[in-house]
Amino acid sequence: MHYLTSMIPTMSKNSSLVCLLQHMKPLKLSIESSAPILTSVDYNKIFHKLDELRTIHTVFFNDLEARVSHWTDRHLIGDLFLSLVSLIRKC
């Protein structure tokens, strides 16, 4: 249980997904500039389905946070991971 409660703040603020999202807009704007950092093809490869992944991450994070905040010895989290797999397959 302690591991889960310590993991929640890290998931929301320091995930790789959040880091990618922070760079998404400046890189997109760069494509249209006279000195682009990336080509539009590279940009689309890097950020492919990122909006869908953000939604999946948010759903999973919110469900996990709710579960952990009302934790008892009878709670399990395996079902949350199964739901996560289901969401990823739909993506």
Side-chain angles (χ1 to χ4, degrees):
M1 171 59 185
H2 173 71
Y3 175 74
L4 286 175
T5 55
S6 65
M7 184 175 75
I8 295 293
T10 302
M11 284 179 62
S12 66
K13 295 179 181 158
N14 297 321
S15 76
S16 298
L17 183 61
V18 172
C19 291
L20 272 175
L21 290 169
Q22 290 173 345
H23 298 290
M24 192 174 177
K25 188 174 181 178
L27 288 172
K28 179 72 170 180
L29 291 172
S30 152
I31 292 170
E32 299 164 4
S33 74
S34 61
I37 298 169
L38 297 172
T39 66
S40 60
V41 171
D42 288 339
Y43 177 87
N44 290 331
K45 285 179 184 177
I46 294 169
F47 296 108
H48 180 70
K49 295 205 177 206
L50 193 61
D51 289 330
E52 292 91 338
L53 291 173
R54 176 182 11 190
T55 300
I56 291 169
H57 172 78
T58 300
V59 168
F60 178 74
F61 173 77
N62 290 341
D63 290 347
L64 184 60
E65 185 176 45
R67 186 75 55 91
V68 169
S69 69
H70 297 95
W71 191 264
T72 69
D73 291 340
R74 294 185 168 192
H75 277 97
L76 302 173
I77 59 169
D79 61 307
L80 299 178
F81 286 96
L82 291 174
S83 295
L84 177 65
V85 169
S86 176
L87 290 170
I88 290 171
R89 284 186 177 151
K90 291 177 186 175
C91 181

